[in-house]
Amino acid sequence: MTANKNTVASYIEGFKTYDRKKILSCLTEDIIWDMPGFFHLSGKEAFDKEIEKNHFIENPEIEIVSLTEENNIVVAEGTIKCNFRTGDLLNAAFCDVFQMEGGKIKKLTSYQMTR
């Protein structure tokens, strides 16, 4: 596996175990996180504040279906299941597009569709 794919795999593993330190170690300081229609975040501090909320009761079940890389772009497709603290269930498919720089995630665009 390439260095960029390893970074993305580590990032996803961090979300599976809610390891904020691991997640943040995968990001550049000027990270941009877009979830079209939901939010746009700039900077590691804003990213940390968003994941600090931990909306889930337990760690999510995340399965990677494919991990593709070309140049400095890694695309991860997969599924996620978990229970929100509100009582709602998240059962979704996702496609995350990671723009990499120096082996770290510089920009993340997350697309999600409820199944």
Side-chain angles (χ1 to χ4, degrees):
M1 198 178 318
T2 67
N4 285 339
K5 282 184 177 181
N6 279 330
T7 298
V8 170
S10 181
Y11 168 87
I12 292 169
E13 184 62 32
F15 269 99
K16 284 177 158 180
T17 59
Y18 191 63
D19 183 340
R20 284 177 45 217
K21 184 176 179 180
K22 180 181 261 190
I23 295 166
L24 295 173
S25 74
C26 297
L27 311 175
T28 62
E29 291 299 320
D30 59 346
I31 178 73
I32 293 172
W33 186 11
D34 283 323
M35 186 173 253
F38 294 97
F39 60 79
H40 171 89
L41 301 172
S42 296
K44 195 182 266 191
E45 186 177 326
F47 197 107
D48 188 28
K49 284 181 182 177
E50 180 62 28
I51 64 174
E52 183 180 74
K53 295 175 185 174
N54 191 12
H55 301 282
F56 309 125
I57 293 173
E58 73 278 338
N59 293 337
E61 295 175 32
I62 302 172
E63 181 181 332
I64 299 301
V65 175
S66 70
L67 200 57
T68 307
E69 179 177 7
E70 186 168 333
N71 299 323
N72 279 319
I73 305 291
V74 177
V75 177
E77 297 176 273
T79 59
I80 181 170
K81 290 182 185 177
C82 60
N83 292 302
F84 285 104
R85 295 187 186 283
T86 61
D88 294 328
L89 171 68
L90 174 63
N91 184 5
F94 69 87
C95 180
D96 285 345
V97 180
F98 299 87
Q99 293 181 21
M100 309 298 291
E101 182 178 88
K104 295 197 178 237
I105 301 164
K106 180 165 183 68
K107 182 178 182 191
L108 168 59
T109 305
S110 297
Y111 302 96
Q112 186 173 292
M113 182 179 82
T114 302
R115 299 189 303 162

